[in-house]
Amino acid sequence: MSSRTFPGRYESLAKVAEFVRIEARVAGLTFKDIFELETAVDEAVSNIIEHAYGGEGIGEIVCTCNQIENGIQVILEDYGQPFDPSCVPLPDLNVELKNRKNNGLGYFLMCQLMDDVRFEFTAKSNRLTLTKHSK
């Protein structure tokens, strides 16, 4: 298990990605799997900054990488507003790109790229667990 804390700022995205990439290589993920994991983590961290904290510099994000059998789990923990995925409607992918809403694809994208996506909430924090198995 390896863990780091990052400021809730968009400039942290590259540092979070680098941390996750290194851990994913150790876990034996393929280039494609690592790219998908990085994309999902980038979307999740952006959502934490924008929605949980309501902007930059308001809170921290703890990123923990756990090596699991045949893959990796990335746990992102924040202390902002909780997110209820059941309130997010599925995006209409048949609508032309120019007519789509500006947001609402992040959770859908995470679910498409990861093998498992779980949210847990306590009185103190929100925890998102992203699991990726090597293929």
Side-chain angles (χ1 to χ4, degrees):
M1 179 172 81
S2 185
S3 187
R4 286 192 50 199
T5 301
F6 299 91
R9 304 190 64 75
Y10 292 112
E11 66 191 27
S12 296
L13 291 171
K15 292 175 184 170
V16 174
E18 179 182 11
F19 173 65
V20 169
R21 184 180 323 112
I22 290 167
E23 295 295 320
R25 284 184 188 138
V26 172
L29 269 65
T30 65
F31 178 78
K32 179 182 181 284
D33 290 338
I34 293 171
F35 177 77
E36 291 176 350
L37 178 63
E38 281 186 71
T39 301
V41 168
D42 187 79
E43 184 61 39
V45 171
S46 296
N47 283 346
I48 290 169
I49 295 166
E50 183 177 346
H51 300 293
Y53 288 131
E56 287 190 276
I58 297 171
E60 297 178 324
I61 300 165
V62 179
C63 181
T64 303
C65 295
N66 295 320
Q67 309 296 320
I68 59 172
E69 186 176 335
N70 200 30
I72 191 169
Q73 281 186 329
V74 176
I75 300 166
L76 298 169
E77 191 167 14
D78 70 78
Y79 309 96
Q81 293 294 317
F83 168 70
D84 183 358
S86 68
C87 293
V88 178
L90 288 174
D92 184 354
L93 301 177
N94 296 317
V95 174
E96 288 186 42
L97 190 57
K98 66 180 180 180
N99 295 327
R100 285 191 192 159
K101 294 180 181 179
N102 286 339
N103 49 19
L105 284 173
Y107 176 65
F108 175 80
L109 182 64
M110 282 185 261
C111 291
Q112 296 299 306
L113 297 174
M114 296 294 96
D115 294 306
D116 187 48
V117 177
R118 271 186 295 128
F119 288 91
E120 301 170 71
F121 308 101
T122 69
K124 295 183 179 182
S125 70
N126 308 308
R127 181 177 292 169
L128 168 60
T129 302
L130 302 168
T131 303
K132 187 69 173 175
H133 297 289
S134 58
K135 305 239 174 18

